[in-house]
Amino acid sequence: MFKIVWKESLTPVIDCLKVEAPALAAKARAGQFVIIRVDEVGERIPLTLADWDAHEGTITLVAMRVGTSTHKLGKLKSGDSLIDLVGPLGRPSEIEKYGNVVMVGGGVGIAPIHPIARSLKNAGNRIISIIGARNRDLLFWEDKMQALSDELIVTTDDGSYARKGVVTEPLKELLEKGGINRVIAIGPAIMMKFCSATTRPYNVPTVVSLNAIMVDGTGMCGCCRLSVGGETKFACVDGPEFNGHEVDWDITLARQKIYLKEEKESLARWESCQCGKS
Amino acid sequence: MEEKAKSKINLNRVDMPRQDPKDRAHNYNEVALGYTEEMALEEANRCIQCPKRACVSGCPVNVDIPEFIKALRDKNMPEAVRVLKSKNALPAICGRVCPQETQCEEACTLGKRKAPIAIGRLERYVADWDLTNKDKRPATILPPPTGKKVAVIGSGPAGLTAAADLAKFGHKVTIYEALHTAGGVLMYGIPEFRLPKAVVQAEINYVKSLGVEIQLDSVMGKLATIDELMDKDFDAVFLGTGAGLPMFLNIPGENLNGVYSANEFLTRVNLMKAYLFPEYDTPIKIGKHVAVIGGGNVAMDAARCALRLGAEKVYIVYRRSRTEMPARHEEVENAEEEGIIFKFLTNPKQIIGDDNGWVKAMECYEMELGEPDASGRRRPITKAGSEFVMDVDVVVVALGTTPNPLIPSTTRGLETTRHGTVVADEQTGKTVKDRVWAGGDVVTGAATVISAMGAGKRAAASINEFLMKKQSF
Ligand SMILES: Cc1cc2nc3c(=O)[nH]c(=O)nc-3n(C[C@H](O)[C@H](O)[C@H](O)COP(=O)(O)OP(=O)(O)OC[C@H]3O[C@@H](n4cnc5c(N)ncnc54)[C@H](O)[C@@H]3O)c2cc1C
Ligand code: SF4
Ligand code: FES
């Protein structure tokens, strides 16, 4: 059992949890992920690390309520526990001095972008961050990103806050201006696909973090497989970060939808079980 | 009675009752129901207690078979249990899944007359008696602690056996397991209807009762490296990490939705209990027409699971013929009785998808058998122009597995073969790395429960020898 020492809602649908896991925290690196199970009947779901504190022995997870597991997670309070927490899994981000790095965080993807930006900043890069969400209510950690970015651009799709539009627009402007050495984009797959398409004509190396459906997270099942550069890769052990220009986005997008019907069914069932519970 | 049994050899092997195929094709309850006391005694009485003890040498861990059978027919169950468990820490599991027909039963003297003693069924009977009569168990007396600590990586049969034996030698053992449940393939691979998970957990509890600590959710190589474990806490390490990496066909369409590795398919069903969805949260795609590719035990298990999930038609697609199939004969027979359709001499060419990225069909070649290849089996050859299309919506690839490179790639000085297996001495399990032993599927590649247990046992003995020698310096 892994104790939740602190929990807050970042937005009405995005939760942030700090969980006790000293051994894991001691090993964690930017870009890695964990697999959690909320309860005895729960699914194993991957979440990219949003932060960790080796000294304190905790890790921080940020999750948006979409399926049954993330809704259950949202119901937990500090003092409760996760039944399972496995990690750190996957390869850490490549951290080097590249020069000017654009960090693009979309929606809940802002969370994993944060520690990667921090590591890149510490490695001497100039960080330009673009964070975006559908609307104001889905935006979080603007302050944290502000603190470690040399430049920060905020967008909302509906214009309810900051600049109206999608993240690829300011990204394109930056590329147009020139001098960008690397782009890291994390968010919904469709956003990562468009970010990769935006950077391609400029030949700027683009890294994306693929949130594939997983079971074990150690290379044992192949559920997380993707096609990258014409080869089959396992997101959990070969990734989660890949060259965005080489990813076969059609397969990636299709594979994320495998259980759409079942996920809806499961969530509806969970929600109906919640009625009557306070 | 005894006299009579000795004078006249009884060649009527007692059948084991099984669930009716029509019923069992739709439930997850155990297929083989086990002997009653009467049946067990009748079968045990057939044993002629031969002095040659051919069966014992046929058993990979040399269980004293005639001894436990004798105790059983004397109705001295605690003694039968003692004899059995002195060599085999997990008899309720072995009694169910060991390929006895190629081991002890093949060697049995009566086998020459086509009716070997049903040793596996008797083993299961004795072990199940033990599980239901735990209170009558004589307490295992453990020696005083030696103060030595051993880390065991992986909680499959190799790791569990090594841990149990090391604990019995008085060492402090910690098992590190990557998954959230201990048991390895016994929990995530072999289905409930062939090996009830309660039986596996009962055997694991026995190992725990010896003082073995099990740390779940611990992916070694990630959470800590083997070198770190040895630097910090442990005097020796045993690697029992199995062969968990799935192989794919590398044909077009393999990444379509609806294509599973057998590992994923079985893990979802068995470990995550997707057959109980939505009571359990993990889903699985229930195909209408399912093709399972492969001819081993894993393929049989996947096919029988697909059927129980509710598929209308389940095919086994195998590129050779029936005689070359590596699966246990009994399991092939079970699968056939349940209605699995066998497509022999058939090999997939490509998997065909619909517009949304879902499997809608599979194109196959017909094959014929040529000259024997390196494995001694006749090599399958593609018949030119024989392509045909099978209408399927789920494909399960059960082509075999190789060891996960996670530990070898993060451990200094471990030697691996080009198949990814860890090099270890066959007799002792010692690797080329100081203080590290290995055994089970990680060394042999995918094999059997009992061979993994045998390796765990031999390694435990070798580790014990090393630790005790060290102490005397
Ligand atoms: C579907 C199926 C059916 C089978 N049927 C039969 C049968 O009927 N009869 C038979 O005799 N054999 C059968 N086998 C084969 C048999 O199950 C295996 O040979 C046996 O389980 C191997 O034991 P093991 O202990 O070496 O490895 P495993 O049982 O594979 O256990 C390895 C364990 O190590 C863990 N692990 C791996 N890497 C790490 C890591 N880095 N850190 C921590 N833990 C780790 C894994 O999670 C796993 O729990 C079957 C196999 C399968 C897949
Ligand atoms: S070989 Fe067969 S008959 Fe002889 S002792 Fe063993 S089980 Fe009994
Ligand atoms: S999640 Fe199972 S192999 Fe990646």
Side-chain angles (χ1 to χ4, degrees), chain A residues 2-24:
Chain A
F2 299 82
K3 200 171 146 207
I4 298 167
V5 292
W6 178 78
K7 140 113 199 270
E8 74 171 333
S9 292
L10 299 175
T11 81
V13 291
I14 299 179
D15 303 289
C16 179
L17 302 95
K18 202 183 251 196
V19 188
E20 222 168 61
L24 207 167

Side-chain angles (χ1 to χ4, degrees), chain A residues 72 84 218 220-221 225 259, chain B residues 217 254 260-261 263 281 404:
Chain A
K72 284 180 176 174
D84 295 295
T218 64
M220 180 263 253
C221 72
R225 67 195 188 281
Y259 298 110
Chain B
D217 291 336
E254 215 164 16
Y260 290 94
S261 74
N263 264 7
D281 295 345
N404 195 318

Side-chain angles (χ1 to χ4, degrees), chain A residues 213-224 234 236:
Chain A
I213 300 175
M214 295 189 186
V215 182
D216 60 298
T218 64
M220 180 263 253
C221 72
C223 164
C224 61
F234 288 6
C236 68

